[in-house]
Amino acid sequence: MEKQFHPNISVDCVIFGFDFKKLNVILVERNVHDPVNGAKQISDLTLTGNHVYFDEKLEDAAKRILFNLTGLSGIYLEQFFTTGDPERLKSVKDQVWLQKIGKDPRERVVSVCYFSLLNCDEITLKMGNRKIGWYSVKEAKNLAFDHGTILGNAIKALQTKLLYEPIGFEMLPEKFTLTQLQKLYEVVFDVEFDKRNFRKKVSKMNYLVPLDEKQKGVSHKPARYYTFSRELYEKNSSAMFNFSI
Amino acid sequence: MEKQFHPNISVDCVIFGFDFKKLNVILVERNVHDPVNGAKQISDLTLTGNHVYFDEKLEDAAKRILFNLTGLSGIYLEQFFTTGDPERLKSVKDQVWLQKIGKDPRERVVSVCYFSLLNCDEITLKMGNRKIGWYSVKEAKNLAFDHGTILGNAIKALQTKLLYEPIGFEMLPEKFTLTQLQKLYEVVFDVEFDKRNFRKKVSKMNYLVPLDEKQKGVSHKPARYYTFSRELYEKNSSAMFNFSI
DNA sequence: ACAAAAAAGTGTGATAGATACACTATCATT
DNA sequence: AATGATAGTGTATCTATCACACTTTTTTGT
């Protein structure tokens, strides 16, 4: 027996990535062409999401979406918001689209939203026949459905979480430089920090471990690599992570 | 035509209240007696909640629940969590209960959870034939369904929110003393503050307005009343609320 | 080999916020 | 008039934050 999707329950994933320059999010193209003259009826972007199977946990559905997209498991995942008002899929465009992909456009769908964190460079994305890719969050405008609202909430949730917990490292490679770490905080909060003060601050975080290894092949003084030790972090749980800005 | 509940979508409300001594939450008794010998089969407590109507927004359902309970509208309300795993209502007790109240126990129900804030003393609670009342959050153990998890998440959400936004006042009367405000923060975070340092801190919040009015009928030096001015708070939005502890 | 370009890396002084700590003032009750 | 209860207040130390500029190390181009 084929697994069945629940018609009323879906999961959307806001997948953030950092490319050392800006904060990005994975979006998927949504295109509908007029069957007669071939003109574009809809051409915009959606978050990644899917309905849940009848016997599937919400978080497992989010993991499934992430795995199908990236081939990775164990990705950082956090539920942050749920949208489910009766009219959220009722715009003309959205109704046309739902028809096209074979969903009943009359159904009310509650979508439980998760954000997750990736290092942009470490993955290749794939998804059937729709184009998928990284987009700067600053340029991600006019999304389909209520996905603009979801993305806005996701960014706020990411900021709040980043103040209290050391999750920024999820968007960096295993080894990273302090400048990269600083840039990460700068793009998430849309501020700039003074280099010396930033380093003074993170130098108190003893779970940020300097390595005996430096950048190679850069045309300037190579920076030292650091790594995040979750073990050390959890040991000194008294030394709460607090990244007030 | 009678309004119909959506069988798969519900809302639960975690209603916090402060009685100047401890943090409380509204809970409802859930009793089932054996139809033959009258012995108690189930006797525990649930949060307040209900399914949403087909054409009802999630937040409107939460407002409806609050209004039916307290007769009040305009109560502070914040979505914080959604629970919807397939087995969340599948324990024997929960299945018996769902049968009793006329729900299909096989349906999967996603519950979108809101917390709201009240001043305990200002309301009288009512709800059909089930007993309802305030319970100390510290004593709220062994709740029905997955309501223990929901309550735990609600407390964390309340703490996080309370660090960033001036919502504590929602749990106080219009006029309150600084000692009452201090006690509120102490019970929510389960810490103790030094009186002088606490007052030094809040004295910088110019939206906390001292009144020309003091406590009456207390058998000790009467305390000055203060009030929270949302207007002043929003004017000086640059002076971000930040209650780091 | 040398100069230029690019980012890494480093210290100090000033200000603001956090912490620890103890006594006096004012009311009601007896 | 004395007691009990809570309100209300100041100072000294420590820690964190902020503003700010120059030297070091590497590659690249000549």
Side-chain angles (χ1 to χ4, degrees):
Chain A
M1 180 178 124
E2 187 71 17
K3 278 191 177 189
Q4 292 267 312
F5 285 120
H6 197 297
N8 305 111
I9 312 173
S10 79
V11 161
D12 280 305
C13 292
V14 180
I15 308 167
F16 288 117
F18 174 61
D19 60 6
F20 302 131
K21 291 193 185 107
K22 55 198 178 351
L23 184 65
N24 298 314
V25 60
I26 295 179
L27 298 174
V28 192
E29 279 192 13
R30 183 175 79 153
N31 289 307
V32 178
H33 297 270
D34 189 296
V36 179
N37 61 16
K40 274 192 180 174
Q41 277 185 317
I42 305 176
S43 175
D44 55 14
L45 296 160
T46 75
L47 295 168
T48 58
N50 205 336
H51 284 248
V52 306
Y53 291 120
F54 268 91
D55 62 348
E56 186 182 40
K57 294 185 183 195
L58 298 173
E59 188 168 315
D60 289 342
K63 286 178 183 165
R64 169 172 55 83
I65 292 166
L66 287 170
F67 182 80
N68 288 343
L69 229 61
T70 66
L72 298 175
S73 42
I75 295 176
Y76 178 87
L77 192 61
E78 170 107 3
Q79 189 202 296
F80 68 97
F81 179 62
T82 294
T83 175
D85 288 347
E87 341 68 36
R88 66 178 280 262
L89 309 177
K90 294 292 192 271
S91 82
V92 176
K93 276 189 180 181
D94 296 340
Q95 291 277 302
V96 169
W97 173 256
L98 291 170
Q99 200 90 53
K100 177 185 164 178
I101 63 172
K103 303 280 180 201
D104 184 342
R106 294 164 305 178
E107 286 285 1
R108 176 170 180 175
V109 182
V110 167
S111 178
V112 183
C113 303
Y114 290 79
F115 73 81
S116 57
L117 304 178
L118 280 184
N119 172 4
C120 285
D121 300 332
E122 277 178 1
I123 54 157
T124 49
L125 301 170
K126 54 181 174 197
M127 172 164 158
N129 47 346
R130 290 171 66 191
K131 252 198 209 163
I132 181 169
W134 291 105
Y135 293 79
S136 160
V137 294
K138 294 214 168 192
E139 293 158 16
K141 304 280 180 204
N142 302 114
L143 301 188
F145 307 117
D146 52 359
H147 288 189
T149 308
I150 296 174
L151 177 59
N153 280 310
I155 292 170
K156 266 190 208 133
L158 171 63
Q159 290 175 340
T160 302
K161 200 80 186 170
L162 213 44
L163 291 178
Y164 286 108
E165 296 194 45
I167 60 170
F169 309 105
E170 306 283 344
M171 284 190 276
L172 289 166
E174 192 71 19
K175 299 166 186 176
F176 51 86
T177 70
L178 294 185
T179 302
Q180 289 165 350
L181 182 65
Q182 177 177 345
K183 187 75 189 169
L184 169 60
Y185 279 93
E186 288 179 340
V187 300
V188 171
F189 291 99
D190 200 18
V191 291
E192 296 204 345
F193 298 121
D194 174 85
K195 203 201 314 192
R196 281 168 292 188
N197 293 337
F198 181 87
R199 282 160 191 249
K200 208 180 304 172
K201 180 160 216 158
V202 300
S203 71
K204 284 168 215 148
M205 306 174 179
N206 67 343
Y207 44 83
L208 207 53
V209 184
L211 301 175
D212 277 335
E213 193 182 341
K214 297 189 172 185
Q215 283 181 314
K216 272 174 195 153
V218 290
S219 72
H220 53 76
K221 178 171 175 179
R224 177 179 294 277
Y225 280 122
Y226 287 73
T227 196
F228 168 65
S229 162
R230 181 158 297 278
E231 195 186 354
L232 279 178
Y233 172 70
E234 279 165 5
K235 209 175 281 176
N236 311 18
S237 63
S238 61
M240 261 299 284
F241 188 92
N242 185 336
F243 204 93
S244 62
I245 53 168
Chain B
M1 181 180 124
E2 186 72 17
K3 278 191 174 186
Q4 291 267 314
F5 285 121
H6 197 296
N8 305 112
I9 311 174
S10 79
V11 160
D12 280 305
C13 291
V14 181
I15 308 167
F16 287 117
F18 175 59
D19 60 7
F20 302 131
K21 291 192 185 112
K22 54 197 179 353
L23 184 65
N24 298 314
V25 61
I26 294 178
L27 298 174
V28 192
E29 278 192 13
R30 183 176 79 154
N31 289 306
V32 178
H33 298 271
D34 187 296
V36 181
N37 61 18
K40 273 191 180 171
Q41 278 186 317
I42 305 174
S43 175
D44 54 14
L45 296 161
T46 73
L47 294 168
T48 57
N50 204 337
H51 284 249
V52 306
Y53 291 119
F54 267 91
D55 61 350
E56 186 182 40
K57 293 187 183 195
L58 298 173
E59 189 169 314
D60 288 342
K63 286 177 184 166
R64 170 171 55 83
I65 292 165
L66 288 169
F67 182 81
N68 289 343
L69 230 59
T70 65
L72 298 175
S73 44
I75 295 176
Y76 179 86
L77 192 61
E78 170 106 4
Q79 189 203 295
F80 68 96
F81 179 62
T82 295
T83 174
D85 288 349
E87 339 69 34
R88 67 177 281 262
L89 309 176
K90 294 292 192 270
S91 83
V92 176
K93 276 189 181 183
D94 296 340
Q95 291 278 300
V96 168
W97 173 257
L98 291 171
Q99 199 90 54
K100 178 186 164 181
I101 62 172
K103 302 279 180 203
D104 184 342
R106 294 164 303 179
E107 286 285 1
R108 175 171 182 175
V109 182
V110 168
S111 178
V112 183
C113 303
Y114 290 78
F115 73 81
S116 56
L117 304 178
L118 280 186
N119 172 5
C120 285
D121 299 331
E122 278 179 1
I123 55 155
T124 49
L125 302 170
K126 53 183 175 197
M127 173 162 154
N129 48 348
R130 289 172 66 191
K131 253 199 211 162
I132 182 169
W134 291 105
Y135 292 80
S136 159
V137 294
K138 293 214 166 190
E139 292 157 15
K141 303 282 178 201
N142 302 115
L143 301 188
F145 306 116
D146 53 357
H147 289 188
T149 308
I150 295 174
L151 177 58
N153 280 310
I155 293 171
K156 266 190 209 132
L158 171 62
Q159 291 175 339
T160 303
K161 200 80 187 170
L162 214 44
L163 292 178
Y164 285 110
E165 297 194 44
I167 59 169
F169 309 104
E170 306 283 343
M171 284 190 277
L172 289 167
E174 191 71 20
K175 299 166 184 176
F176 52 87
T177 71
L178 294 185
T179 303
Q180 289 167 349
L181 182 65
Q182 178 176 344
K183 187 74 187 172
L184 168 61
Y185 278 93
E186 287 179 339
V187 300
V188 171
F189 289 100
D190 201 18
V191 292
E192 296 202 348
F193 299 122
D194 174 84
K195 202 199 320 189
R196 280 169 292 190
N197 292 339
F198 181 86
R199 282 160 190 250
K200 207 181 305 175
K201 182 161 215 157
V202 300
S203 71
K204 282 169 215 146
M205 306 174 179
N206 68 342
Y207 44 83
L208 206 52
V209 184
L211 302 175
D212 276 336
E213 192 182 342
K214 296 190 173 185
Q215 283 181 316
K216 273 175 194 152
V218 290
S219 71
H220 54 76
K221 177 169 177 178
R224 176 180 295 279
Y225 281 122
Y226 287 73
T227 196
F228 168 66
S229 162
R230 181 158 298 278
E231 194 187 352
L232 278 177
Y233 172 70
E234 280 165 4
K235 209 175 282 176
N236 311 19
S237 63
S238 61
M240 259 298 284
F241 187 92
N242 185 335
F243 203 94
S244 62
I245 54 168

